[in-house]
Every structure is written in C-alpha cells, then in structure tokens.
Amino acid sequence: MEGIKVTKRERRTGTVSRGIRCPIIRQGDNLAEIVATSVLEAAEYEGFELRDRDVISITESIVARSQGNYATIDDIAADVKAKFGGETVGVIFPILSRNRFAICLKGIAKACKKVVLMLSYPSDEVGNELINIDKIDEAGINPYSDVLSLERYRELFGENKHEFTGVDYVEYYGNIIRESGAEAEIVFANQAKAILNYTDCVLNCDIHTRARTKRILVSGGAKKVYSLDEILSAPVNGSGYNEKYGLLGSNKSTENQIKLFPRECKDLVLEIQKKILDATGKHVEVMVYGDGAFKDPKGKIWELADPVVSPAFTDGLIGTPNELKLKYLADNDFKDLSGEALKEAISASIKSKQDNLVGNMASQGTTPRQLTDLIGSLCDLTSGSGDKGTPVVLVQGYFDNYTN
C-alpha cells in the first residue's frame, strides 16, 4: 500500500482459530481418520500450513457419537431404582436446563414414588436465574438460611420465566416429575442438609460442588446419597455409560434418549497426533473439548455445565501459560524506551524469562488457568453450538509470543 512500509519477513498475525468442517459423524465412524483428513484437506484447500504445536480440538459431542455413548430414560430409571429402591428421593441442586437436566429428570422421576425437588436460589450453580436477587432483598429473604416451600415462593415471587428460554423452570420441572408418574414436592434452599427434613435418600445433582455436597449429606445423617456422576457410571441393560462422570455432561439426543459425555478418549487424541505427524512431520497437540469456562456478563450464566472443559488431551497441553505482561514491561521496566529499542528490550526479556513466573510482577494480570480451559473456551466460541458444522477447531500460534 502506498505510504506504508511493510517488512515482509516478519509475521503480522498471532493466534488464529479456524473452524474445520467435517462430515456428520455416526456411531462406529473412524473419528481419528476423519479428523486428521479434514484438517489436512482444509490446509490444502485454504492455503495454510500446519506448524509444530498447533492445536487440533474436537468437540466432545462427535466423540461420544462415534462411541455410540447413548442411554434412554428407561436406562436412567433402572439405575436410579436399583440404587434408591423406588420410594421417596430428594433431588437437589439441579441446573435449570431443557437440554442438560430435564430429560435426566424424566428418568429419575420414573424410578420414584415421590421426588422432593430442592432448587437453589436465586440461581442455579451455573448462573441460570430463578429469582432476581433484588426481589429477594425486597422480600427480606436470606438465601443462605431460609427454606421456602413452593407456596411461599409463589406468594413472594410469583411466576419467573428464564430470561433467554422463556421457561418457568419451577412449573416445568414439576410437570416433568408428575408426568413421569411420581408425586412432586418442590422446595427452595441452599443448604444441602435442608433436604434431610424431607427424606434421607438423596441424589445431589450439582456439578462442580458435588463432592462437598455429598460429604455434608453423609455427615448430616443421610441414609443413601448418590451424586449424578454415579448414575450410569456403568452400563445398564447394554446402555452407554461414563465410568468417571455418569450423567454429568450429558445432553438431550431425542425425547427419550441422552448422549453421555465421551468415555475414555486419550487413545483418540494420541492417534490423531500420530496421523498428523506421519503425514506432515509436524508435532501438533490434540484435545477433546466441551463447554468453555467463561461467564456471560449479561445473563450471568457460567457456561461450564460439563464436569470438565477437556476430558482428554495430549501431554503438551498440561499446565498453565507462562507469560510476561507486555504493557507492564513497557510502562515500568522500559518506560524510557520507544521504537526499535523498546521492541528489542521487550524481546530480550521474553527470550530470557524463567520457566516459572509465579510471583513475578511482570506476569501479573496474565491468565493463571489451565491451558486446556483457555484453549477449550476459545474453541467453544469458535465452533458454537448451532449450525456452523465445524466440530473440529484448529488453533495456530497459541504458544507463540512477541519474539516469534
């Protein structure tokens, strides 16, 4: 361009995230072959090259689909009945989701005579709002201690529809329980032990706090306690399962079937890594990802409804970033420099940085999160959850810095 001097030998881009289009995956497909071929063909057609430490990420959905990791409402019911005996069960702290939990609730309720559903408030674990916090303040309610019956909840707060889905989840979940053949009682509380005033058989459905909740219930005298990760942790009548996460991370597949979180898939990421190495000589990293770990500032919803962001990844993705803050260096260590001198000074600092920058002020403000959580979040935003048709994401340049 006229008037602009361009140094062609220098790279002008940093991290690039590309959605890779793939065929529709079915049970039994050779996923490693499909993923590797799709990435290589994209590189050829779009005119880019793979590099060492590029990251190939595969959405958990197509991994589970290729594994055929499905189960029905009847499979869930059979496991719940075997564990609890088919009487009254307290179902506590579920998230408010048509896709994630509603279909699981159908199976759970089908196995019980009565379900005491205890919902956390003002929102569920991942931020889906049940009641506006300002209304709670106005009503003089203490959510840390007060237990509300359904009648008291309606008296104080009336009907509350989800901002994005338009669903009144209190009514919706109550109807699911009754339509599944069980009696429904709904209460609202944030202390796990509150459920023990109604039943001593409890299924705690929280995700990231499940171990603590179970510990509190057991120490509080519960007779039977299972967490959602213990339901379908083994096959039931030939069903799919997840030995580590059970129903956690599952999604609605049909009106009577769920797709579970993928089973052990470390071999898959290693196979894809090898296929790319054999084809190109490049050592890429590979991971399986689900929900990103980020929070929506408007709806206050924390995206991570899966038990983890990544259930499997190659060893090069272990750890956290080890980065210096460029603006800190520019404003402090090298505040009197500019232009090429500033660039050279910062480049020298990056090249000589320690392997572990914990406690170093020049690293303050960098993101101390697991690499798989950061990259998985980027990939989740890139692939989306709709009709983009890119269940594989290629991230290039993530491990580069200012000196590359």
Side-chain angles (χ1 to χ4, degrees), residues 83-98:
K83 287 181 166 67
F84 287 103
E87 298 297 324
T88 299
V89 176
V91 176
I92 73 171
F93 302 156
I95 63 172
L96 307 176
S97 172
R98 295 169 297 175

Side-chain angles (χ1 to χ4, degrees), residues 270-291:
L270 292 174
E271 186 178 356
I272 294 171
Q273 184 182 56
K274 185 177 185 303
K275 285 182 179 294
I276 298 296
L277 181 64
D278 291 345
T280 67
K282 302 300 181 181
H283 183 90
V284 301
E285 304 297 343
V286 184
M287 63 180 283
V288 176
Y289 71 96
D291 280 342

